[in-house]
Structure formats: C-alpha cells, structure tokens
Amino acid sequence: MVGQLGHPRPVIRLGVADAGEVLTLQRAAYVTEARAHDDWDLPPLLETLDETRAALSGLSWGIREAGRLVASVRLTVTGSVGVIGRLVVAPDRQGFGLGGSLLLAAEAAAPPEVTVFRLFTGSKSVGPLALYAKHGYRETHRTPENNHELVHLEKTRVR
C-alpha cells in the first residue's frame, strides 16, 4: 500500500503496548458515529484501557503514518467464523483507502479454518456500509440498538 506521497503504508500487527493509542484513535473515530446515531453510549466510546489491552492480546492490526497510528482493526476467531471489529480510521485520514486496506489485511491474515467473516455497523454509518458492500459483505439482519439499528453483514471467504 502506498500513501499519498508515495511512502509505503504497511499494515502492522498491534499488541498490548499499543492500547493507549488504539483507544485514543477509536474514541476520535467513533465520535462521528455517535453523532450520526445520536447515541453517546456506543461500546467503543465506553471501552476502558484495560478492555482495549485485553482485546489487543488477540489478532489486531494497524497502519501508521509518520509514526502516528491512523487506523486499526481487530479479528476474533470462533471456529470457522472470523468477526471483524473496531475497524477505525482517524477522522482526518478517512476516505484514503486505509479502512479497505485493513479489512483486506484482516481477512488475509485470518487462520485457515475461517470460512466466513462477520461484522456489524450502525444503520446510519453511510461510509462503513458502502465500504463493506464494496468488499463483498452482504446484510444478513438488523437488530435494534437504542434509537437506531445495527446492520449485521457477512462474507464467505474466497480462497
């Protein structure tokens, strides 16, 4: 992946030591979602540093630009299902392909037993919904969440 100025933007593994940066990035990215859904109790905004550390002990990746963490994603594997979560991009870096790069990287790095990927986003998350559709995710169902809905999406792994 090449950045705007021709500099590489490699996808890197994240770990527990990155928790503070990931939490800061996550909160910045989800403010837009909270506004769109008029819901300030979104789990990513309420997650604690300890919860972030615990999550980062699993599979997670990020992209840094000039040393700054600008995007991150997590993957939780249960049997043949890979659940993609907390795909976030810094507000000032959205629209530059970082989210798509991380989505593809998480799918590619999933263990071989994963045959399907699942994720969800808010019903008013126009950008993420378009991104997921572009990458082959299809809506399976919706569930109520405060004053909006969560859109659940799925994609069969292509080998």
Side-chain angles (χ1 to χ4, degrees):
M1 178 62 47
V2 176
Q4 284 180 297
L5 304 174
H7 301 292
R9 291 190 312 217
V11 173
I12 57 169
R13 277 295 299 268
L14 297 176
V16 175
D18 300 300
E21 276 184 289
V22 168
L23 188 57
T24 300
L25 170 64
Q26 182 174 293
R27 287 182 176 165
Y30 271 93
V31 164
T32 305
E33 297 303 304
R35 280 190 191 123
H37 294 87
D38 192 27
D39 184 355
W40 294 92
D41 290 328
L42 298 177
L45 293 176
L46 302 176
E47 188 173 277
T48 66
L49 183 57
D50 284 340
E51 289 169 334
T52 303
R53 281 188 188 112
L56 293 179
S57 67
L59 298 171
S60 55
W61 299 269
I63 296 175
R64 290 187 181 278
E65 291 180 344
R68 173 184 168 217
L69 185 65
V70 294
S72 68
V73 67
R74 301 176 193 171
L75 177 69
T76 305
V77 176
T78 305
S80 63
V81 178
V83 177
I84 294 175
R86 301 288 202 270
L87 176 59
V88 294
V89 177
D92 65 319
R93 298 302 298 138
Q94 292 175 5
F96 292 96
L98 301 175
S101 293
L102 277 180
L103 186 62
L104 292 173
E107 290 174 0
E113 64 267 19
V114 173
T115 59
V116 64
F117 294 101
R118 292 186 181 141
L119 52 80
F120 64 86
T121 192
S123 56
K124 298 174 186 174
S125 299
V126 177
L129 285 168
L131 172 72
Y132 301 140
K134 176 183 173 183
H135 287 279
Y137 285 81
R138 299 291 171 247
E139 183 176 333
T140 59
H141 64 285
R142 293 181 180 220
T143 55
E145 181 72 23
N146 295 334
N147 59 349
H148 61 278
E149 292 178 311
L150 292 179
V151 180
H152 298 262
L153 302 119
E154 186 173 284
K155 174 183 176 179
T156 300
R157 187 175 202 172
V158 179
R159 298 199 190 260

